[in-house]
Amino acid sequence: QVQLVESGGGVVQAGGSLRLSCVVAGVRLDKYAMGWFRQAPGKEREGIAAIKWGDGSTRYSDSVQDRFTISRDKAKNMMYLQMNSLNHEDTAVYFCACDTNGGLLGLTPDWYPDWGRGTQVTVSS
């Protein structure tokens, strides 16, 4: 059974930084991709970053390109999201997810069958 647990959320001032972590258990990740998603109140879940576990290739949404960085630590089975230059529009619940159906760098939530419970990020003005 795949288990994903996010951590690192909190309240940060606009312009600040935060790093989210996601620990993964119960699956060998080498052939799969992992992603970060977020959902703001009243909005649909949005894919913002994805990484291929094997070769580390990445993909970002336009909304976070050049501000956020996705990375992984193979030895620890950990994935990270470094978030810089945060603004109010980044306030959301952030989820990590695993694409155990394949290894494509998708940002579509429906592609990902396994999810964590999320961590809240609030950007204050």
Side-chain angles (χ1 to χ4, degrees):
Q1 183 180 359
V2 182
Q3 294 182 315
L4 303 97
V5 179
E6 306 91 341
S7 61
V11 179
V12 61
Q13 286 192 333
S17 299
L18 209 59
R19 189 176 85 151
L20 304 182
S21 300
C22 173
V23 61
V24 189
V27 61
R28 290 193 62 177
L29 293 167
D30 290 348
K31 297 181 180 179
Y32 300 134
M34 294 278 297
W36 283 102
F37 298 78
R38 66 185 182 185
Q39 189 165 17
K43 294 189 176 181
E44 293 186 353
R45 192 165 295 190
E46 172 193 17
I48 57 174
I51 187 167
K52 283 190 178 182
W53 202 262
D55 65 12
S57 54
T58 59
R59 178 184 177 186
Y60 298 92
S61 67
D62 290 344
S63 59
V64 306
Q65 182 77 48
D66 298 326
R67 298 189 300 125
F68 291 9
T69 302
I70 188 172
S71 62
R72 88 281 193 241
D73 185 327
K74 284 186 169 184
K76 295 181 180 180
N77 254 29
M78 295 283 294
M79 181 176 68
Y80 305 99
L81 186 68
Q82 177 66 42
M83 305 186 294
N84 300 328
S85 302
L86 286 161
N87 57 59
H88 181 71
E89 286 70 36
D90 296 315
T91 294
V93 178
Y94 284 71
F95 301 87
C96 64
C98 184
D99 180 10
T100 49
N101 286 331
L104 300 178
L105 279 175
L107 295 179
T108 303
D110 287 347
W111 289 16
Y112 289 75
D114 297 291
W115 293 80
R117 292 187 176 184
T119 185
Q120 175 71 46
V121 173
T122 302
V123 183
S124 64
S125 55

